[in-house]
Amino acid sequence: MTYVVVENCIKCKYMDCVEVCPVDCFYEGDNMLVIHPDECIDCGVCEPECPAEAIKPDTESGLEKWLGLNAEYAKSWPNISVKKEPPADGKEWDGKPGKAELFSPVAGSGD
């Protein structure tokens, strides 16, 4: 099992999760974070830290697309282990449906 960052992270990009991760398996994109599935130790400490509830265990059904996206972009985006400020309009995007189409493949800046 691994944890997966899902659609609701897009444009919210809270980073409370990166501070608690004991293995630094988060990677930063332009408008969301991903978890490297081969580095995640399945401890689960990140899941309750996400204000947007955008981190799910891969045992939940229907997450295949997001597991693939996490695995793909964790290979090319920079690692992040230090919490930064979320986007100024992040709270406005929290919970909005249809954010998958807003996904940006552009890398973030990392640590």
Side-chain angles (χ1 to χ4, degrees):
M1 186 177 91
T2 186
Y3 283 82
V4 181
V5 180
V6 298
E7 179 177 8
N8 204 42
C9 184
I10 298 171
K11 306 251 324 147
C12 289
K13 197 174 151 185
Y14 299 117
M15 298 191 199
D16 303 66
C17 53
V18 302
E19 281 192 321
V20 298
C21 181
V23 293
D24 298 335
C25 66
F26 282 89
Y27 292 81
E28 184 184 14
D30 179 46
N31 68 1
M32 79 173 287
L33 303 173
V34 295
I35 294 173
H36 195 303
D38 294 336
E39 295 175 2
C40 178
I41 59 170
D42 314 325
C43 68
V45 297
C46 59
E47 184 181 20
E49 294 299 317
C50 181
E53 298 181 7
I55 300 174
K56 306 289 182 191
D58 72 349
T59 53
E60 284 191 19
S61 62
L63 297 181
E64 295 80 12
K65 168 187 173 179
W66 295 103
L67 183 57
L69 185 139
N70 277 240
E72 178 181 350
Y73 288 96
K75 293 176 187 173
S76 59
W77 287 353
N79 185 255
I80 183 158
S81 60
V82 177
K83 180 180 177 180
K84 298 178 187 177
E85 288 297 315
D89 62 349
K91 287 185 180 182
E92 296 170 32
W93 287 100
D94 193 352
K96 287 197 176 184
K99 294 196 304 181
E101 59 196 41
L102 301 174
F103 169 76
S104 171
V106 176
S109 58
D111 285 343

